Amino acid sequence: MYNSHRGMVPSAPSSRLAELMDQIRNEFETQAGRAGEYEHQLTNQMHEMELVRQKVYTLEQTQIELKSKYENEIARLHRELEARGGPAPPTHVGAPPHNAGPSQPPPPSIGHGPSNLFGGIMAGQGGQGGPGLAPPQDQTQPQQPPPPHQMPQPPPTVPQPGPLQAPQPPYQSYQPAPTVNGYASQPPNPTASPGPGRGRNNRGLPGPATPQQSQPGQYPDPRASPQVARPTPPPPPPQHQVSSVGNFLADLRPERVPAHQKKEGGDWYAVFNPQVQRALDVDLVHTLQHDSVVCCVRFSLDGKYVATGCNRAAQIFDVATGSKVSYLEDATVDKDGDLYIRSVCFSPDGRYLATGAEDKQIRVWDIPSRTIKHTFSGHEQDIYSLDYSRTGRHIASGSGDRTVRLWDVEAGHNVMTFTIEDGVTTVAISPDGRYVAAGSLDKSVRVWDTTTGNSVERLDGVDGHRDSVYSVAFAPNGRDLVSGSLDKTIKLWELQPRNNATGVGIRGGRCIRTFEGHKDFVLSVALTPDGQWVLSGSKDRGVQFWDPRSGSAQLMLQGHKNSVISVAPSPTGNLFATGSGDMRARIWRFDVK
């Protein structure tokens, strides 16, 4: 019995061991089950991450495709912009902001390099010789409801003159604009002053214009705050704005100008200086569409016709009807590239039209037969300005080659050459034919006696212009002269000619009035036949009428969607013409109230 009791003792430890082993086994199975769950969860999360990665990859590929598509489209539009006369686009989207200058190709230097002074006007280049076409409207400001003078229109697809009737932007007064979406604030235009043999024969189909000007499409600023629709408050009562803007009439907001101080048309408007008595009224007579930038306009002496200069051709229109009566193009000129007609002028009898172009040639056309009567050669760079003497015997020409030349039309040769230090941008012959004046890139205005060839005036110095002079015109009395400059001013000079055989150190004339009010380069000036008003056209798209006695601006006309490159009054009455980078010339009527 004792032995049996001793054999039963070891059973207790074996049972405890088995129990512990079972607990370990259960714990292991529990942990293994949890590990399986964690592994399953991890697998699910990795699967979700893979889906996210695939979605991101898909979005990235879509973005790359869209970017490529937009870049191709932008490149195409840039080529069209250049071909239509728009501003030179930056080399890539998002280029640094610039206003007509530093990041653009260097502007042409007349007399010291490329012979394309007005290429700056076409290309939007700044600096010497480079006023560009007007920039796009300010696109960084929040969109605002169009003022009453704006015509609702669909948004344009490109900020430039484009083919196939590109929609025009809402009409606005000029505002300098920073770069947005890579479009420079400079209108508008060819990348360089187009000239023969300079390529760029990829001009698109003709269409109405808005170079820049430019023209400018209303692109929203991505940095701007979202525009939340809100109830439209009742319109405020009309405000009779008489704020002290002086002659800077472009600062007036047309919608806030009382009705008696403005005039509105379908796509144009005029505001009258609230600080002076209104003396004029203005209205649109004709719109003359062109296929390229209109570089110049000029009336015949009898006022029945107006001539325009554009790419490769001069055109003549009937003032009464607005219909085109003549198209003058030299068929012998190489068709490759562009060839802009920079200046036109009628002979006094209206039979001939002289044209000056980028190919350094002056052509005198017989209008009835549409044939070239004379071709004058001698200039070594582009010709920018011409003027016929009242006798019809002489033509004066100004060129980037730093010379003013006087041509005898009957004899068919050059009779005088006046050489200066820099490119000549503009010339004018006095009403009596005795004097010829010229404006230059060197900021001065010079006057020569055509009978002796002597220099009799040099108008510059402390009272002179601070930048290149782009336009000069004699007053009807022949004693006064107006000049317009890239310094944004117009000056009225009283001439005091004194013969000087050497032409050195002459300072006879004096500045008797400076007109300030334009927001950008002044590209063209003129006086009405009675001498009562000075007209000016500017890169700010505006035309202003000035009282030469007081220096006050009478009105500011916004009738173009790009730079107003040329203004010309009719010699016989109350009409004037304007030529612009928007590929239009317009005839206007002004009346004394």
Side-chain angles (χ1 to χ4, degrees), residues 4 25 58 67 110 271 277 279 281 324 330 349 435 459 553 579:
S4 65
R25 184 183 302 109
T58 301
K67 180 181 178 182
I110 303 309
V271 292
Q277 182 177 358
D281 195 11
K324 186 188 302 183
D330 188 347
D349 60 8
Y435 301 106
L459 310 173

Side-chain angles (χ1 to χ4, degrees), residues 135-356:
Q137 306 287 350
D138 193 340
Q139 301 163 4
T140 62
Q141 300 179 359
Q143 297 291 325
Q144 305 208 0
H149 65 274
Q150 293 183 349
M151 299 297 292
Q153 301 188 24
T157 57
V158 292
Q160 67 192 50
L164 305 180
Q165 305 291 324
Q168 305 290 346
Y171 206 80
Q172 301 180 0
S173 60
Y174 172 80
Q175 299 175 351
T179 301
V180 177
N181 291 338
Y183 288 91
S185 64
Q186 186 348 50
N189 331 284
T191 55
S193 174
R198 285 193 272 264
R200 292 210 314 87
N201 53 3
N202 57 340
R203 300 175 66 250
L205 296 175
T210 322
Q212 204 328 52
Q213 56 186 276
S214 114
Q215 135 41 296
Q218 299 294 332
Y219 294 102
D221 185 348
R223 299 167 294 181
S225 301
Q227 300 298 312
V228 180
R230 298 177 182 173
T232 303
Q239 299 182 18
H240 288 227
Q241 178 175 344
V242 289
S243 58
S244 181
V245 299
N247 289 330
F248 290 86
L249 302 185
D251 289 338
L252 293 174
R253 297 183 60 181
E255 66 272 18
R256 294 190 176 182
V257 175
H260 68 280
Q261 289 179 346
K262 64 182 176 182
K263 180 83 175 279
E264 297 178 276
D267 62 350
W268 63 273
Y269 69 90
V271 292
F272 298 86
N273 193 338
Q275 296 176 321
V276 301
Q277 182 177 358
R278 179 173 171 180
L280 295 176
D281 195 11
V282 65
D283 210 345
L284 177 64
V285 179
H286 296 299
T287 296
L288 313 175
Q289 293 288 352
H290 290 66
D291 293 339
S292 68
V293 170
V294 179
C295 300
C296 51
V297 291
R298 188 75 72 93
F299 281 91
S300 60
L301 190 60
D302 61 11
K304 294 181 179 179
Y305 301 97
V306 65
T308 63
C310 55
N311 188 27
R312 310 195 70 85
Q315 302 180 51
I316 301 176
F317 297 84
D318 186 295
V319 171
T321 65
S323 60
K324 186 188 302 183
V325 296
S326 189
Y327 186 90
L328 306 175
E329 179 179 3
D330 188 347
T332 65
V333 174
D334 186 357
K335 300 298 182 182
D336 184 26
D338 295 325
L339 180 63
Y340 278 83
I341 308 301
R342 297 299 187 187
S343 184
V344 295
C345 59
F346 284 94
S347 63
D349 60 8
R351 179 178 177 84
Y352 303 109
L353 183 75
T355 64

Side-chain angles (χ1 to χ4, degrees), residues 407-488:
W407 308 84
D408 188 314
V409 179
E410 295 180 5
H413 61 78
N414 179 208
V415 292
M416 284 188 181
T417 299
F418 311 109
T419 303
I420 63 173
E421 293 83 10
D422 215 332
V424 178
T425 59
T426 174
V427 295
I429 298 177
S430 62
D432 61 6
R434 182 175 179 183
Y435 301 106
V436 59
S440 169
L441 292 180
D442 66 5
K443 312 175 188 179
S444 67
V445 177
R446 294 173 173 81
V447 181
W448 293 271
D449 188 316
T450 59
T451 60
T452 66
N454 293 334
S455 175
V456 295
E457 294 277 17
R458 178 165 177 170
L459 310 173
D460 54 10
V462 176
D463 295 329
H465 286 291
R466 298 185 301 277
D467 208 336
S468 303
V469 177
Y470 261 46
S471 183
V472 295
F474 276 97
N477 61 21
R479 299 186 305 274
D480 299 329
L481 185 78
V482 290
S483 58
S485 167
L486 302 193
D487 65 9
K488 308 177 188 178

Side-chain angles (χ1 to χ4, degrees), residues 68-83:
S68 177
K69 176 182 177 181
Y70 287 139
E71 287 179 344
N72 291 337
E73 180 67 9
I74 289 171
R76 183 184 67 80
L77 296 178
H78 281 172
R79 290 192 296 270
E80 291 183 2
L81 175 62
E82 295 169 12

